[in-house]
């Protein structure tokens, strides 16, 4: 299990009610499961539309259960941006 930071952007930030929070998880799937438990409302509806960066690297189409998280790492949650 690794500990790090999840950063929310745009609509994800508004839905989470915070710009960032810590994670304690081995994979992106585990981290997102914990996020859904902490924020069961709007953020749970925003997440399926989001892209993710792990320590600056795009996750792309990889299964979230295969994406390992590093100690001290950063998960960026990026919803679709208008015009972008």
């Amino acid at each position: 299990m690794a500990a790090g930071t999840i950063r929310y952007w745009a609509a994800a930030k508004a839905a989470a009610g915070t710009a960032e929070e810590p994670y304690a998880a081995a994979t992106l799937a585990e981290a997102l499961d914990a996020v859904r438990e902490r924020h069961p409302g709007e953020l749970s509806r925003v997440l399926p539309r989001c892209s993710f960066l792990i320590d600056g690297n795009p996750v792309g189409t990889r299964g979230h259960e295969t994406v390992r998280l590093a100690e001290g790492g950063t998960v960026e949650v990026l919803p679709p941006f208008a015009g972008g």
Side-chain angles (χ1 to χ4, degrees), residues 28-58:
L28 178 58
E30 290 176 10
L32 293 177
D33 285 345
V35 163
R36 288 182 192 96
E37 286 180 24
R38 284 192 302 273
H39 308 282
E42 184 62 22
L43 185 57
S44 290
R45 289 184 286 282
V46 170
L47 286 176
R49 298 188 308 267
C50 291
S51 298
F52 302 94
L53 297 177
I54 307 297
D55 299 327
N57 298 307

Side-chain angles (χ1 to χ4, degrees), residues 64-76:
H64 295 169
E65 67 283 350
T66 69
V67 179
R68 307 288 303 167
L69 300 178
E71 182 68 29
T74 302
V75 175
E76 307 277 348

Side-chain angles (χ1 to χ4, degrees), residues 1-25:
M1 177 145 336
T5 303
I6 298 177
R7 291 192 182 132
Y8 301 104
W9 297 96
K13 179 179 173 182
T18 186
E20 63 181 49
E21 62 186 349
Y23 71 73

